[in-house]
C-alpha cells in the first residue's frame, strides 16, 4: 500500500517519463508537483526502498517494472473516474480533473473493475488520453499536432495537449470538441496561425492553440 503523497509522486514520474527518454531529475519532479527539491529527495528514498523507483546520481529517477504498473493503475483509476463523471454525472470535461485527483486514491480493485464494466470498458478519457488496462498496457493511436498540418489537409480531433480548465473552456466557447473533423483552409506564413473549418463553421486559431490540439490525419 502507498500513501496518497507517494501515489502522487509515482504518477508524476510516470507522466514525466512519457515525454523523456532519460531519467527524471529531482528538479523536474519538484516543478511538476510544485514542491521543494529536498522533499523530492526524501520521497525518492522512500520509493526506492519500496522498489518502485531506481535513482542514479547524474542519471535521474526511473520507474521499476513494479513502479510502472503501479503508476499505470493510478492513471487508470483517474481516467476511468473522469469518464464516469462526464458520462454518468454530467460533469463537463473541464471540471473532472480535480475530482478525479481525489477519487484515484481509492484502493478497492473490485470497485474499479466494476466501474470499468459499467462504462463498457472505455479506452480513452474525455480528453482523449488512453486508459491503461489492468496490466498497464495502453491502446495508443497515431496522432499529430494540428499545427503540423498544411493547407487542404484534414484530421479528426482526438485529444488535447493542454488539459487545463481554462483551455478546455476556451474550446467549449469556440465549439471545438473531440471527434470533430477539421479541415485546414489556410496557414499564415507569418505566424503559422490557421484558418480552419469544423462542421462547416470557419474559425481562425493561433499557432499556440494548434500546438495544443491532437488530430488523427484523414
Amino acid at each position: 500500500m502507498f500513501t496518497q503523497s507517494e501515489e502522487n509522486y509515482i504518477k508524476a514520474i510516470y507522466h514525466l517519463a512519457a515525454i523523456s527518454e532519460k531519467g527524471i531529475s529531482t528538479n523536474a519532479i519538484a516543478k511538476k508537483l510544485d514542491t521543494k527539491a529536498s522533499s523530492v529527495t526524501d520521497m525518492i528514498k522512500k520509493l526506492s526502498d519500496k522498489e518502485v523507483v531506481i535513482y542514479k546520481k547524474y542519471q535521474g529517477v526511473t520507474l521499476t517494472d513494479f513502479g510502472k504498473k503501479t503508476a499505470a493503475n493510478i492513471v487508470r483509476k483517474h481516467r476511468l473516474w473522469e469518464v464516469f463523471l462526464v458520462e454518468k454525472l454530467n460533469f463537463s470535461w473541464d471540471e473532472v480533473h480535480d475530482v478525479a485527483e481525489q477519487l484515484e486514491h481509492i484502493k478497492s480493485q473490485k470497485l474499479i473493475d466494476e466501474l470499468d464494466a459499467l462504462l463498457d470498458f472505455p479506452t480513452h478519457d474525455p480528453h482523449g488520453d488512453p486508459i491503461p488496462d489492468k496490466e498497464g498496457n495502453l491502446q495508443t493511436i497515431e496522432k499529430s499536432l494540428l499545427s503540423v498540418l498544411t493547407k487542404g489537409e484534414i484530421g479528426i480531433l482526438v485529444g488535447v495537449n493542454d488539459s487545463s480548465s481554462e483551455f478546455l473552456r476556451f474550446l467549449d466557447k469556440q465549439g471545438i470538441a473531440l471527434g470533430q473533423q477539421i479541415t485546414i483552409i489556410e496557414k499564415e506564413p507569418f505566424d503559422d496561425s490557421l484558418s480552419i473549418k469544423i462542421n462547416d463553421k470557419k474559425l481562425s486559431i493561433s499557432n499556440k492553440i494548434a500546438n495544443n490540439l491532437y488530430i488523427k490525419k484523414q
Side-chain angles (χ1 to χ4, degrees):
M1 285 292 185
F2 298 97
T3 66
Q4 183 169 323
S5 179
E6 288 171 338
E7 289 190 345
N8 287 337
Y9 271 85
I10 295 168
K11 187 177 72 168
I13 296 167
Y14 177 86
H15 286 313
L16 289 168
I19 56 177
S20 174
E21 296 180 358
K22 301 179 181 179
I24 310 304
S25 70
T26 53
N27 286 336
I29 299 170
K31 183 177 180 181
K32 177 79 172 175
L33 293 171
D34 192 23
T35 190
K36 297 177 181 179
S38 58
S39 298
V40 175
T41 301
D42 292 341
M43 179 59 76
I44 293 305
K45 176 66 169 61
K46 292 179 183 178
L47 295 178
S48 180
D49 290 343
K50 292 187 176 183
E51 300 183 343
V52 177
V53 302
I54 298 171
Y55 174 73
K56 293 182 179 180
K57 197 171 183 179
Y58 306 121
Q59 295 183 36
V61 179
T62 55
L63 290 168
T64 62
D65 288 342
F66 171 59
K68 290 175 183 176
K69 189 169 183 178
T70 300
N73 185 55
I74 300 166
V75 172
R76 167 179 161 80
K77 289 188 287 184
H78 181 102
R79 293 176 178 172
L80 283 172
W81 282 119
E82 287 192 336
V83 176
F84 175 78
L85 291 167
V86 169
E87 292 190 359
K88 303 300 182 181
L89 298 184
N90 300 315
F91 278 66
S92 61
W93 67 339
D94 63 281
E95 296 176 311
V96 296
H97 179 75
D98 288 345
V99 181
E101 285 280 298
Q102 301 170 58
L103 294 170
E104 70 185 27
H105 299 292
I106 293 174
K107 306 300 182 185
S108 172
Q109 189 58 53
K110 180 179 180 180
L111 173 61
I112 300 306
D113 290 343
E114 292 296 331
L115 178 65
D116 194 19
L118 174 68
L119 298 170
D120 198 23
F121 308 102
T123 58
H124 290 77
D125 74 9
H127 310 115
D129 293 317
I131 299 173
D133 65 17
K134 292 177 69 173
E135 300 305 316
N137 302 308
L138 292 171
Q139 180 180 323
T140 57
I141 59 174
E142 187 175 334
K143 60 185 180 181
S144 306
L145 289 172
L146 180 61
S147 56
V148 307
L149 266 63
T150 57
K151 182 178 179 179
E153 289 193 296
I154 300 171
I156 301 296
L157 184 59
V158 295
V160 293
N161 188 36
D162 179 356
S163 58
S164 67
S165 296
E166 293 79 10
F167 184 62
L168 298 178
R169 285 195 292 268
F170 169 81
L171 294 181
D172 284 340
K173 287 180 181 178
Q174 300 299 320
I176 300 174
L178 299 189
Q180 292 177 328
Q181 179 175 286
I182 299 177
T183 303
I184 307 301
I185 300 173
E186 198 66 60
K187 190 167 189 176
E188 177 57 54
F190 175 69
D191 61 358
D192 286 331
S193 59
L194 297 172
S195 177
I196 62 175
K197 183 173 74 173
I198 302 178
N199 295 342
D200 296 323
K201 177 183 176 182
K202 292 183 179 179
L203 290 172
S204 293
I205 62 173
S206 68
N207 179 253
K208 181 178 180 180
I209 296 168
N211 269 319
N212 279 296
L213 297 175
Y214 285 117
I215 56 91
K216 182 178 181 181
K217 289 186 179 181
Q218 293 294 90

